[in-house]
Amino acid sequence: WDATAKGQNELALQLFKMAYEQETDSDKKAEAAWNVYVDYKNKEKYHEAYLWCEKTARFGFVKAMRILGKAYYYGLGVIPNYRLAAKWFKAGADKSDPTCIRLLGECYIHGKGVLPNMSKAYSYFKTAYDMNEPGSYYWMGLAYRYGAAGIEVDIQKALNIWLDGQNNSRCLCELGKCYYWGCGLAKDKELAYKYFKMVSDRGKDFAGN
């Protein structure tokens, strides 16, 4: 840490690696591995970074599990592997990480790394939603908008969920669609454009779907 504070990053990297090899305490080993991961990620050496991220995840560090799952799901610095993505999301979900719970639901709804299972997917989405996980608002809104996994269609409920979840770009996009087509409310193309532009301004491409 002293080397890091002094800007001696290469020395710090070597010391963290030595700490990982020599420490016997699992928490300290995980902390050392995490710092090596951060160093490599900052240098955009993603392959090396995720190897160290996996070392950290194996010690039960939930944030590393979530990052590793996303890396395998989206192919960030590693070859995409949905089975491994689902494995790490499940590991994080078992530790009650709300994002991992929602992402595991996405694996089940798309059949990526696991057999497709809508009921199981929405069970995870509902759990994440009850924990106020931002991405889950989109999925629960869809459930009420179209009816899914035994949930009855309730367009007003869907709109309320998406309004509550406006921090999520996919919720904004769905609100824009509803105003554009007049689903559950009066058509308002100007307001639809406002929501689509909010998505666009965040650098997301959902408004083009």
Side-chain angles (χ1 to χ4, degrees):
W1 283 113
D2 184 62
T4 300
K6 292 177 179 177
Q8 298 171 325
N9 294 331
E10 290 305 315
L11 175 59
L13 177 63
Q14 295 307 313
L15 290 170
F16 282 131
K17 286 182 177 179
M18 289 174 62
Y20 174 79
E21 295 297 334
Q22 297 178 20
E23 280 287 358
T24 55
D25 182 87
S26 60
D27 289 340
K28 291 180 179 179
K29 285 179 80 72
E31 182 182 4
W34 178 256
N35 281 283
V36 177
Y37 156 72
V38 171
D39 183 272
Y40 278 129
K41 186 180 180 186
N42 289 339
K43 293 173 181 173
E44 298 185 356
K45 295 182 177 180
Y46 296 113
H47 180 70
E48 294 93 334
Y50 289 118
L51 289 176
W52 284 92
C53 186
E54 183 167 353
K55 292 178 188 290
T56 312
R58 291 188 183 282
F59 284 106
F61 192 45
V62 177
K63 186 176 180 179
M65 294 174 179
R66 186 191 321 132
I67 290 171
L68 200 58
K70 288 183 177 180
Y72 281 115
Y73 193 90
Y74 296 108
L76 304 173
V78 294
I79 296 172
N81 187 317
Y82 296 127
R83 182 183 62 80
L84 287 176
K87 167 192 169 183
W88 287 113
F89 291 148
K90 177 66 165 58
D94 288 345
K95 289 183 171 290
S96 301
D97 180 74
T99 302
C100 283
I101 292 169
R102 188 257 301 171
L103 289 169
L104 184 58
E106 294 196 15
C107 287
Y108 275 104
I109 206 157
H110 296 305
K112 292 186 174 181
V114 292
L115 292 175
N117 188 319
M118 183 173 287
S119 295
K120 187 170 284 190
Y122 273 94
S123 174
Y124 284 119
F125 294 147
K126 179 65 167 58
T127 299
Y129 176 73
D130 289 341
M131 299 169 77
N132 299 314
E133 196 281 324
S136 65
Y137 284 71
Y138 164 74
W139 291 104
M140 291 307 299
L142 285 185
Y144 284 102
R145 171 69 180 85
Y146 298 105
I151 295 173
E152 292 186 9
V153 173
D154 186 335
I155 295 177
Q156 192 56 54
K157 176 76 170 176
L159 289 170
N160 289 339
I161 290 174
W162 287 330
L163 283 167
D164 288 341
Q166 288 188 58
N167 287 334
N168 181 269
S169 293
R170 289 191 286 189
C171 290
L172 291 175
C173 188
E174 293 304 319
L175 287 169
K177 290 178 183 178
C178 288
Y179 276 109
Y180 188 87
W181 297 110
C183 299
L185 35 71
K187 283 187 180 182
D188 189 331
K189 291 190 176 181
E190 286 189 11
L191 197 50
Y193 173 78
K194 172 188 171 183
Y195 280 112
F196 292 144
K197 189 174 186 303
M198 288 170 68
V199 177
S200 179
D201 288 345
R202 295 182 184 184
K204 303 295 184 181
D205 62 0
F206 302 115
N209 294 338

